[in-house]
Amino acid sequence: MKKLNIYFTAGIPQLEDTGEIIKLIQASGADMIEIGMPYSDPVADGPVIQKAHELALKNGMTIDKLFSQLKSIKNETNIPLILMGYINPVLSFGFERFCKECSESGVSGLIIPDLPPIEFERNYHSIIKKYNLNFTFLITPETSSERILYLDSLSSGFLYAVSSSSTTGNQNADLKNEDYFSRISSLALKNPVMIGFGIKTKQDFENVTQKAAGGIIGTAFVDILLSHRNWKKEAIDFIHSIKA
């Protein structure tokens, strides 16, 4: 069975909805959850997730607040929770303190796309290991096979393959990038590969997971949280439609 990873931004639609959304995603059959930490300058994200970041910050979401929300539902979650965000807020919080809080809040892994691998190796890898956290790097169609193997060697949990060289939610994301997906699947990787960016339907999910362990859906899910008054039912129906 292919794994489904659902991303959403913490602190939307309302500040206190985070825990409820996590429980809803888990109950609907997703295999893991990626929680976005709101940031004022989310450069790798498209308009929908940028809007979610803005709303979450306006609602008052902070890293401290997120950890307290995660601790409050820690005993009710049993699928992997992964925090995704940018390095600056993490460094402001204190990297080791951040990792310690992750381990105490039921977080199993991190994705920090703008942390350079060389910096990770030099300064942060040992801290990540100390707190038993996974760390996932991203690869794109432009990433050479040699570098994919290098990033795979540093990653744990899974390797995040961006479907095409674009921002999240791009309408033109190439989900039939056969050469790229075939090249990844031909490499002797130690981590399973999850493909993300542009997956909106069950058909999209099935396309990308033919040569990968699973798919990551973000923008399509965040759009439901932002634009539907009856978002709970819509969110459940959406996940069921992918997993059916």
Side-chain angles (χ1 to χ4, degrees), residues 144-230:
S144 70
S145 296
E146 186 182 33
R147 189 163 175 83
I148 291 173
L149 289 165
Y150 165 61
L151 294 173
D152 176 59
S153 75
L154 294 182
S155 295
S156 51
F158 65 95
L159 194 62
Y160 190 139
V162 176
S163 64
S164 51
S165 302
S166 60
T167 55
T168 55
N170 189 301
Q171 297 302 314
N172 305 313
D174 184 1
L175 299 179
K176 293 191 173 73
N177 201 333
E178 290 298 327
D179 291 348
Y180 169 48
F181 298 151
S182 296
R183 181 162 65 91
I184 298 169
S185 66
S186 73
L187 296 170
L189 302 174
K190 69 170 179 135
N191 291 293
V193 174
M194 304 279 288
I195 297 176
F197 282 42
I199 303 170
K200 296 181 282 297
T201 64
K202 182 176 176 61
Q203 187 61 57
D204 290 342
F205 183 76
E206 286 177 351
N207 284 345
V208 301
T209 55
Q210 281 174 27
K211 291 189 168 127
I216 302 164
I217 299 180
T219 297
F221 187 79
V222 170
D223 201 32
I224 291 167
L225 303 183
L226 290 176
S227 52
H228 289 265
R229 215 171 299 168
N230 189 14

Side-chain angles (χ1 to χ4, degrees), residues 6-236:
I6 296 283
Y7 166 97
F8 78 100
T9 309
I12 67 160
Q14 304 295 326
L15 179 62
E16 299 297 343
D17 286 333
T18 309
E20 188 169 4
I21 293 169
I22 290 169
K23 289 189 277 187
L24 177 154
I25 295 170
Q26 176 176 273
S28 301
D31 302 286
M32 57 181 79
I33 303 172
E34 217 172 283
I35 304 158
M37 298 178 286
Y39 184 47
S40 55
D41 187 24
V43 289
D45 292 299
V48 171
I49 292 178
Q50 283 186 11
K51 190 172 157 192
H53 280 257
E54 282 168 29
L55 176 61
L57 292 170
K58 194 170 138 200
N59 286 345
M61 180 50 82
T62 63
I63 290 178
D64 267 318
K65 180 73 183 165
L66 175 55
F67 281 132
S68 82
Q69 290 178 340
L70 293 176
K71 283 174 185 169
S72 74
I73 58 156
K74 187 180 173 184
N75 297 330
E76 298 170 74
T77 51
N78 52 33
I79 63 174
L81 302 181
I82 298 138
L83 290 191
M84 181 172 194
Y86 294 82
I87 189 64
N88 280 351
V90 175
L91 293 180
S92 299
F93 190 85
F95 196 88
E96 178 147 7
R97 178 181 164 223
F98 179 83
C99 291
K100 184 172 185 286
E101 285 286 336
C102 283
S103 70
E104 290 171 1
S105 308
V107 172
S108 65
L110 302 176
I111 304 173
I112 304 176
D114 61 339
L115 177 57
I118 198 82
E119 283 283 307
F120 171 82
E121 273 195 284
R122 196 177 292 148
N123 300 318
Y124 304 113
H125 194 187
S126 58
I127 301 171
I128 297 274
K129 283 182 83 167
K130 178 178 171 182
Y131 292 99
N132 294 316
L133 298 171
N134 288 320
F135 194 96
T136 290
F137 281 96
L138 280 73
I139 60 172
T140 74
E142 276 70 50
T143 311
S144 70
S145 296
E146 186 182 33
R147 189 163 175 83
I148 291 173
L149 289 165
Y150 165 61
L151 294 173
D152 176 59
S153 75
L154 294 182
S155 295
S156 51
F158 65 95
L159 194 62
Y160 190 139
V162 176
S163 64
S164 51
S165 302
S166 60
T167 55
T168 55
N170 189 301
Q171 297 302 314
N172 305 313
D174 184 1
L175 299 179
K176 293 191 173 73
N177 201 333
E178 290 298 327
D179 291 348
Y180 169 48
F181 298 151
S182 296
R183 181 162 65 91
I184 298 169
S185 66
S186 73
L187 296 170
L189 302 174
K190 69 170 179 135
N191 291 293
V193 174
M194 304 279 288
I195 297 176
F197 282 42
I199 303 170
K200 296 181 282 297
T201 64
K202 182 176 176 61
Q203 187 61 57
D204 290 342
F205 183 76
E206 286 177 351
N207 284 345
V208 301
T209 55
Q210 281 174 27
K211 291 189 168 127
I216 302 164
I217 299 180
T219 297
F221 187 79
V222 170
D223 201 32
I224 291 167
L225 303 183
L226 290 176
S227 52
H228 289 265
R229 215 171 299 168
N230 189 14
W231 61 264
K232 290 171 197 173
K233 182 183 183 308
E234 294 284 343
I236 292 165

